[in-house]
Amino acid sequence: MPVTVVIGSQWGDEGKGKVVDLLSEKIDIVARYQGGANAGHTICFDEKTFVLHLVPSGIFHEGVTCVIGNGVVIDPVALMREVQTIKDLGFSVDGRLLISHNAHLIMPYHKRIEEVRERARDEGAIGTTGRGIGPAYVDKFARTGIRVVDLLDRDVLRKKLTASIEEKNAILRSVYGAEVLDVDAIIDEYVEFDKIIDPFVTDTTQYLCSAIAEGKRVMAEGAQGSLLDVDFGTYPFVTSSHPTAGGCCTGLGIPPTSVDSVIGIVKAYSTRVGNGPFPTELEDETGERLRATGHEFGATTGRPRRCGWLDLVALNYASMINGFTELCITKLDVLSGLDEIRVCVAYRYNGKVSTRFPSEVQTLTNVEPVYESFPGWAEDISSASNLNDLPANAISYLRFVSEYLQVPIETVSTGPKRAQTVTGAARELKADLSRRPAVAP
Ligand code: IMP
């Protein structure tokens, strides 16, 4: 079966952009299935760095078709800006970028509602990216959303927008005492998108299912991370979509039986941006060091990311709900130079030690991590191209992670560039994967 899903296994920012870009060499189609311009997928090549927010990370390979599926919420202004940047870089998008006619749109009122709601939450704020993601998904499920297909019919768009903006203005005025939006200005701006977006719009579900039937190789690119999933993440400190493996079927309209591999992208330590529980967070010099060395600042918002040790309890949970068939460890080079590296292997809560991940915030906020300690390595590993180029301590660390999760580590990334990657690592890592399946007890 031809579909591979690539998923962030932590709280996002694991380095999915680099991995999808790299794997795109052997892929026909890359499809985004959830989220929106809250994502920031970074790709480095030719000594330059690009950040993609909506367009799939296969766009820099001319032979790859990129699909924005029905599960994505699209900000047309951000999308068209991104498309222009890609064209300016010399890459074609004609016939290579397909947008689902069923995808929902993010409108200026979604961002405004999000802004006032976050402000009103005060200390309970989620710390969203401010891109209007949550309110756009709310409208989708309230069945009042505006879809890409609506952009193509000016009369329908005008009618739907008027109703929506009037409703949102009533909420802004009466609930939040906030400034209202100008109905006519928004309509004038958005009716203009019909001709710009039209060449890209199609029935992407039909396209993908036909491609799968023809045996084309498809990669479903997740955004954010498993622990931000609206059902399985640390609710309410989550995003409003399903970054987990199941989301790719509803977000693209492809059958579960078409998926044969699920690659979990794991950063060699943990980061989180925004609020919410983070058991292994380091609010000390080591945390600062990880942030500085790993350039841990949001690719979309520029916010400093919270940093901490790798959390295998959380990762085992992510592996259980996604069914990872292989792992890719990213940013291993950031750990170079640390004397000691710690890994969380269990949580202590109310005097009991457990390896279950309690996604409920009340418990997760109060767990105490139980750590296993590993000696670090001093060597610069950023030019390693083979597993055996890595120091013995780095190999031991990887083997421990693979054996704890009982999932092979196939790829190790040691820097942002395409060349800074070790592939086929599992064969040489020789981890014992015979112990137990990766399910929480
Ligand atoms: P939203 O997706 O903008 O609604 O934000 C909800 C939560 O998800 C916040 O904690 C954000 O910081 C986080 N988040 C959203 N997108 C990303 C991402 O691409 N990387 C990391 N965190 C994200």
Side-chain angles (χ1 to χ4, degrees):
M1 284 297 167
V3 181
T4 297
V5 194
V6 176
I7 290 173
S9 56
Q10 294 150 309
W11 282 286
D13 310 315
E14 296 90 353
K16 296 176 288 293
K18 170 183 166 170
V19 179
V20 173
D21 168 64
L22 205 66
L23 297 175
S24 294
E25 280 173 9
K26 300 180 191 143
I27 287 287
D28 299 304
I29 299 163
V30 179
R32 271 277 307 268
Y33 61 88
Q34 45 71 233
N38 49 350
H41 293 178
T42 306
I43 298 169
C44 298
F45 63 93
D46 294 346
E47 306 301 319
K48 294 193 200 90
T49 300
F50 307 100
V51 181
L52 294 168
H53 300 284
L54 274 162
V55 174
S57 303
I59 200 74
F60 299 122
H61 293 268
E62 289 285 0
V64 172
T65 302
C66 290
V67 173
I68 300 182
N70 56 279
V72 176
V73 281
I74 300 174
D75 178 342
V77 180
L79 177 64
M80 288 308 139
R81 204 182 301 132
E82 198 163 310
V83 165
Q84 192 54 51
T85 307
I86 292 164
K87 283 187 187 168
D88 292 346
L89 289 167
F91 293 89
S92 71
V93 284
D94 299 339
R96 291 189 55 222
L97 177 64
L98 306 178
I99 301 173
S100 168
H101 61 318
N102 281 339
H104 280 247
L105 297 176
I106 296 189
M107 290 289 165
Y109 47 79
H110 292 132
K111 293 183 201 165
R112 177 69 68 80
I113 293 267
E114 177 167 21
E115 184 192 324
V116 295
R117 200 175 273 160
E118 279 281 89
R119 209 179 305 132
R121 280 189 182 122
D122 200 15
E123 293 216 327
I126 292 163
T128 69
T129 57
R131 298 297 185 269
I133 305 293
Y137 279 114
V138 166
D139 276 2
K140 170 173 174 167
F141 288 97
R143 292 155 295 175
T144 54
I146 295 177
R147 298 191 294 173
V148 167
V149 67
D150 299 326
L151 275 182
L152 306 182
D153 185 326
R154 289 188 172 207
D155 293 334
V156 171
L157 182 66
R158 199 174 291 277
K159 220 162 115 192
K160 285 195 172 184
L161 266 180
T162 306
S164 242
I165 301 169
E166 281 171 359
E167 187 205 13
K168 299 301 182 297
N169 274 347
I171 296 171
L172 285 169
R173 197 183 304 112
S174 57
V175 179
Y176 297 104
E179 205 184 315
V180 297
L181 293 147
D182 181 340
V183 182
D184 293 329
I186 295 176
I187 291 176
D188 288 347
E189 184 179 2
Y190 281 79
V191 290
E192 291 301 322
F193 276 110
D194 58 353
K195 287 195 198 70
I196 308 175
I197 211 161
D198 188 45
F200 303 109
V201 179
T202 191
D203 179 346
T204 51
T205 294
Q206 184 70 50
Y207 170 79
L208 286 169
C209 289
S210 302
I212 290 168
E214 287 165 21
K216 293 230 168 93
R217 294 153 305 174
V218 179
M219 184 177 298
E221 177 182 13
Q224 290 80 53
S226 303
L227 304 176
L228 289 172
D229 186 286
V230 68
D231 274 300
F232 304 108
T234 51
Y235 192 90
F237 300 100
V238 291
T239 192
S240 297
S241 65
H242 293 290
T244 41
C248 92
C249 295
T250 51
L252 296 175
I254 57 169
T257 46
S258 64
V259 175
D260 73 344
S261 49
V262 184
I263 304 178
I265 313 297
V266 178
K267 198 185 296 197
Y269 49 96
S270 305
T271 59
R272 176 164 201 164
V273 59
N275 300 331
F278 182 179
T280 61
E281 181 168 15
L282 291 165
E283 289 174 287
D284 60 6
E285 264 176 34
T286 310
E288 289 288 343
R289 188 187 182 286
L290 290 173
R291 186 175 307 114
T293 315
H295 307 291
E296 296 296 352
F297 296 88
T300 299
T301 59
R303 290 180 291 177
R305 296 179 186 141
R306 300 155 67 192
C307 297
W309 296 121
L310 191 69
D311 184 343
L312 290 178
V313 177
L315 278 171
N316 202 37
Y317 170 74
S319 187
M320 177 181 79
I321 55 180
N322 289 302
F324 293 143
T325 54
E326 64 179 86
L327 302 177
C328 167
I329 307 291
T330 60
K331 293 191 139 179
L332 188 66
D333 54 304
V334 174
L335 298 183
S336 295
L338 290 171
D339 293 334
E340 182 201 23
I341 297 168
R342 299 177 121 203
V343 179
C344 171
V345 293
Y347 293 152
R348 188 173 287 110
Y349 179 67
N350 278 347
K352 289 200 187 102
V353 172
S354 168
T355 54
R356 188 183 89 83
F357 181 75
S359 62
E360 63 275 8
V361 162
Q362 297 86 331
T363 312
L364 196 60
T365 306
N366 294 307
V367 299
E368 183 199 329
V370 177
Y371 287 112
E372 188 114 347
S373 178
F374 291 84
W377 56 90
E379 295 90 330
D380 173 8
I381 59 169
S382 59
S383 56
S385 56
N386 188 292
L387 190 83
N388 291 320
D389 294 339
L390 297 176
N393 287 349
I395 295 178
S396 303
Y397 180 72
L398 294 173
R399 189 175 295 122
F400 182 83
V401 171
S402 184
E403 291 185 348
Y404 186 103
L405 299 172
Q406 289 290 290
V407 184
I409 294 174
E410 281 294 351
T411 314
V412 182
S413 171
T414 56
K417 296 182 188 155
R418 285 173 175 166
Q420 293 174 302
T421 314
V422 173
T423 53
R427 198 163 39 90
E428 294 181 35
L429 195 57
K430 295 189 183 72
D432 174 5
L433 303 181
S434 64
R435 278 205 314 266
R436 62 183 168 85
V439 291

